[in-house]
Amino acid sequence: MYKSLLQAGARLKPLQQVHGQIITNGLSYSRSLLTKLITLACSAGSIIYAHQIFLTVQNPDSFLFNNLIKSFSKCGYPFDAIVSYQKMRTFGLVQSNFTFTAVIKACADLSALKFGRVVHSHAIVSGFASDSYVQSSLVSFYAKSGDLVVSREVFDTMPERCIVAWNSMISGYEQNGFSKEAIDVFLGMIELGVQPDSTTFVSVLSACSHLGALNLGTWVHEYITGNGFDVNVILGTSLINMYSRCGNVGKAREIFNGMLELNVVTWTAMISGYGMHGYGNQAIQLFYQMKAQGPKPSDVTFVAVLSACAHAGLVDEGRKGFDSMKKSYGFVPRMEHHVCMVDLLGKAGLFDEALQHIQSVPGKPAPAIWTALLGSCKMHKNFDLGVKVAEQLLGVEPDNPAHYVLLSNIYASAGRMDRVEMVREIMINKGLKKQIGYSSVEIDHVTYTFFMGDKSHPETTAIYQYLDELMRKLKQAGYVPEQEPVMFALEEEEGEFALRYHSEKLAIAFGLMNSRDKTTVRIFKNLRMCIDCHSAIKFISIVTDREIIVRDKHRFHHFKQGVCSCRDYW
DNA sequence: CTACTCGGCC
């Protein structure tokens, strides 16, 4: 009978047949047979069947419980894993490192910080908290639950760290938005001579994308190829993302062209890369190529396509794409698709059609949809609609500072300074703060960040001198600061002298000072660029004869010889 | 019987 089980292997149907034989032969009491059956059922991926068999076993032992908990947590049933763990404890069974790794992973998947802490204490009591597997899972658990301090503590106390522990720490930082810390851990591991693997690279490249750290990302790419690592489809897609999000979409396409295997995510990443750079035609062209010879587009592919159309003002293509996603591909449009459509129509000034689109959305439109329309109102200075939309938005999300800031902008554009003041007071009363704007620039693998009017940098005097001199040249070239009233309450930074010392201007000055002539300067800004900076940078690209690439909250702007790739359509 | 499974979107 045991042989029959082995022959059946990890296949559900044959296992069920052997199970039937076990029952008819009256062998259901045999724990060894049922244990084997359960482990095989787990490997076959049928956790439900495995659980059914488990329930028929009298006095299940630790081994069986460990298997069940592991299978539950592996197959996406973390809650059942925890319930089984509790049951195991009430049975008074001995727990092991196997038990803890499995149940801690379940806690990680649920971000169940409280219960995970309890499990951690159980592990300490039973002496398994010093097991390297358990420690690695704890690093991952605390990181996924958002407690990076304890995650790091566990990591630091590990006597020896295997690659999984390093990866857990790096991806933990990265997924919580601590890209810089993720990179520091990575650099630390390289310094110690620890060999990274492809999981490490994916996390590190993602961190580079977020920071806009092109030099470091390129170094990682060279490390990958230089050390003979296989660039699989996931790693290749990470590289495409890194290059396009760091401003080098041409290099992203080179990677794309060189890849042996392309899946739907890869295609989507490349289309999205073109989109965020404003290269709508390339995005559309690639999309057609995908339809002809690539995998079936997913609904995310359509987000990328529609967003590319919106950025480039390709209204007809966008409408066509939206229709075909419904009719030819059978996707039900999600909030993201509606956001793209409203953005597309609104930016093109087609407000009636945008409103019609919103009305066609089943149920209550998500705030993001109204935000998209509001952005267009601001772009086209459509005050009446803008005020209506903003007020609507405040009804839905009364505590989101970004809405108040946008509303205040609209009032300011309309010259209603009394209302601007009113909005300001509401914000103060509610204790709402605007997001602080900052810009960063990478020089020799180090990222420097500047805030508006920042004077914290050691070279501050030189930077401000350089900037003043630069502004003088700009004015000679015909630059006129755009001192519209809207500037004074803009979403990013306060007006007044700030206009001259907006974070992006400081970052650009620092970038120009610290790079060779004719080279491209790349800047990252966390919020949207303002109109004045956009205009100033066009002039900077002329008087310094440099190409300047700025990534703002939504897209890339390539400034060259006084022209921006967005064609002022943003 | 173990831990990390990572990439696409405003």
Side-chain angles (χ1 to χ4, degrees):
Chain A
M1 202 54 77
Y2 197 80
K3 245 188 193 154
S4 313
L5 275 173
L6 288 180
Q7 269 170 5
R11 294 169 304 163
L12 192 56
K13 277 268 160 62
L15 279 176
Q16 282 169 329
Q17 277 167 8
V18 182
H19 189 192
Q21 286 167 23
I22 292 174
I23 295 168
T24 50
N25 288 333
L27 293 166
S28 324
Y29 61 87
S30 163
R31 207 157 72 181
S32 62
L33 278 179
L34 291 181
T35 300
K36 192 68 196 167
L37 181 61
I38 288 170
T39 50
L40 286 170
C42 288
S43 327
S46 182
I47 179 69
I48 295 167
Y49 179 49
H51 192 210
Q52 280 169 355
I53 310 164
F54 177 87
L55 292 173
T56 68
V57 181
Q58 281 143 24
N59 301 319
D61 59 4
S62 289
F63 182 88
L64 214 42
F65 262 107
N66 287 346
N67 246 311
L68 187 74
I69 295 170
K70 185 196 74 182
S71 302
F72 272 137
S73 93
K74 244 196 171 153
C75 299
Y77 297 94
F79 195 75
D80 300 82
I82 287 173
V83 170
S84 304
Y85 173 79
Q86 294 283 50
K87 204 163 148 195
M88 182 180 183
R89 282 181 67 81
T90 56
F91 278 26
L93 288 167
V94 179
Q95 294 146 104
S96 70
N97 43 354
F98 295 97
T99 324
F100 289 118
T101 49
V103 73
I104 291 166
K105 179 181 158 39
C107 295
D109 289 342
L110 291 170
S111 295
L113 191 54
K114 266 192 185 165
F115 188 72
R117 283 194 185 120
V118 173
V119 175
H120 188 176
S121 71
H122 293 163
I124 293 170
V125 169
S126 51
F128 286 103
S130 52
D131 178 87
S132 74
Y133 283 87
V134 175
Q135 286 177 322
S136 290
S137 63
L138 282 168
V139 170
S140 173
F141 156 70
Y142 280 112
K144 280 189 178 157
S145 309
D147 193 340
L148 284 159
V149 174
V150 176
S151 173
R152 183 59 186 255
E153 269 170 27
V154 175
F155 179 77
D156 284 341
T157 52
M158 289 180 75
E160 51 191 66
R161 299 176 197 95
C162 56
I163 185 66
V164 176
W166 286 98
N167 288 347
S168 299
M169 197 65 247
I170 293 171
S171 85
Y173 274 131
E174 164 53 22
Q175 285 179 3
N176 282 281
F178 297 101
S179 302
K180 207 185 161 305
E181 285 76 4
I183 285 169
D184 287 343
V185 173
F186 170 70
L187 294 176
M189 119 186 229
I190 296 289
E191 210 169 298
L192 286 172
V194 181
Q195 273 279 330
D197 67 6
S198 62
T199 304
T200 325
F201 297 131
V202 172
S203 293
V204 172
L205 287 171
S206 175
C208 292
S209 303
H210 285 125
L211 291 174
L214 179 61
N215 296 336
L216 185 62
T218 307
W219 183 84
V220 172
H221 184 198
E222 281 161 6
Y223 188 97
I224 291 168
T225 47
N227 287 277
F229 281 96
D230 175 41
V231 177
N232 62 20
V233 64
I234 296 179
L235 195 46
T237 307
S238 296
L239 284 167
I240 290 174
N241 267 321
M242 185 278 292
Y243 277 116
S244 58
R245 288 178 176 182
C246 289
N248 195 341
V249 72
K251 186 76 190 173
R253 183 56 192 257
E254 267 179 45
I255 306 279
F256 181 87
N257 288 343
M259 283 169 69
L260 298 172
E261 186 197 342
L262 301 169
N263 66 19
V264 59
V265 182
T266 319
W267 284 88
T268 305
M270 194 63 237
I271 292 171
S272 153
Y274 280 133
M276 68 176 103
H277 282 269
Y279 302 142
N281 288 321
Q282 274 99 320
I284 293 291
Q285 214 186 342
L286 196 62
F287 179 55
Y288 281 124
Q289 202 184 326
M290 178 184 183
K291 286 204 278 193
Q293 60 184 78
K296 185 175 170 283
S298 73
D299 58 340
V300 183
T301 312
F302 282 98
V303 177
V305 170
L306 297 177
S307 139
C309 291
H311 285 310
L314 302 172
V315 178
D316 284 339
E317 284 293 348
R319 285 198 196 105
K320 236 167 71 183
F322 188 73
D323 283 341
S324 83
M325 94 171 243
K326 288 190 295 185
K327 291 186 187 125
S328 311
Y329 292 88
F331 290 120
V332 177
R334 283 186 292 121
M335 189 267 284
E336 289 86 343
H337 301 103
H338 294 304
V339 168
C340 290
M341 283 310 284
V342 171
D343 189 31
L344 172 89
L345 297 167
K347 271 195 186 125
L350 304 167
F351 286 103
D352 289 339
E353 201 181 331
L355 283 167
Q356 269 171 30
H357 187 96
I358 294 176
Q359 272 160 14
S360 78
V361 177
K364 210 166 119 195
I369 295 178
W370 292 114
T371 311
L373 187 60
L374 194 54
S376 297
C377 291
K378 193 185 149 201
M379 173 178 162
H380 288 278
K381 304 200 190 323
N382 186 340
F383 312 126
D384 296 340
L385 184 59
V387 169
K388 272 187 213 156
V389 173
E391 284 170 353
Q392 173 102 22
L393 209 41
L394 290 181
V396 189
E397 287 188 328
D399 291 324
N400 187 334
H403 301 335
Y404 290 90
V405 172
L406 268 167
L407 178 62
S408 157
N409 286 347
I410 303 253
Y411 281 136
S413 314
R416 295 294 306 270
M417 299 315 282
D418 55 324
R419 293 281 175 120
V420 172
E421 189 51 37
M422 186 192 80
V423 174
R424 233 177 78 91
E425 270 170 28
I426 297 174
M427 284 186 73
I428 292 167
N429 288 337
K430 281 181 167 265
L432 300 176
K433 286 203 176 106
K434 315 182 197 188
Q435 242 187 308
I436 295 171
Y438 62 81
S439 301
S440 57
V441 60
E442 191 191 33
I443 311 281
D444 296 333
H445 295 211
V446 181
T447 302
Y448 298 88
T449 302
F450 294 88
F451 295 89
M452 183 268 301
D454 202 337
K455 294 195 173 166
S456 62
H457 196 274
E459 289 178 49
T460 290
T461 320
I463 297 169
Y464 278 74
Q465 260 174 17
Y466 183 95
L467 192 56
D468 286 341
E469 173 64 17
L470 188 60
M471 294 303 268
R472 210 176 46 75
K473 283 187 199 157
L474 294 195
K475 281 178 186 156
Q476 278 176 3
Y479 159 73
V480 181
E482 302 212 18
Q483 303 264 9
E484 304 168 56
V486 69
M487 297 307 308
F488 289 100
L490 210 71
E491 58 190 304
E492 29 275 6
E493 295 139 322
E494 300 286 350
E496 299 156 30
F497 102 117
L499 201 55
R500 197 179 175 91
Y501 300 119
H502 266 176
S503 60
E504 51 268 58
K505 293 199 180 101
L506 294 172
I508 287 174
F510 189 68
L512 289 168
M513 289 163 67
N514 288 287
S515 55
R516 291 193 313 278
D517 273 358
K518 310 277 182 191
T519 54
T520 301
V521 175
R522 291 183 162 82
I523 304 295
F524 275 69
K525 164 137 193 172
N526 67 329
L527 303 171
R528 245 175 73 104
M529 223 190 314
C530 80
I531 300 165
D532 178 68
C533 282
H534 195 263
S535 154
I537 298 168
K538 283 192 224 164
F539 282 96
I540 294 175
S541 75
I542 299 174
V543 303
T544 62
D545 190 23
R546 294 278 204 117
E547 191 174 338
I548 297 164
I549 299 179
V550 182
R551 178 176 116 182
D552 76 1
K553 196 178 181 186
H554 293 298
R555 60 165 297 156
F556 276 93
H557 298 263
H558 292 239
F559 297 92
K560 201 176 176 180
Q561 293 303 320
V563 181
C564 180
S565 60
C566 76
R567 306 180 339 274
D568 299 339
Y569 192 84
W570 102 110

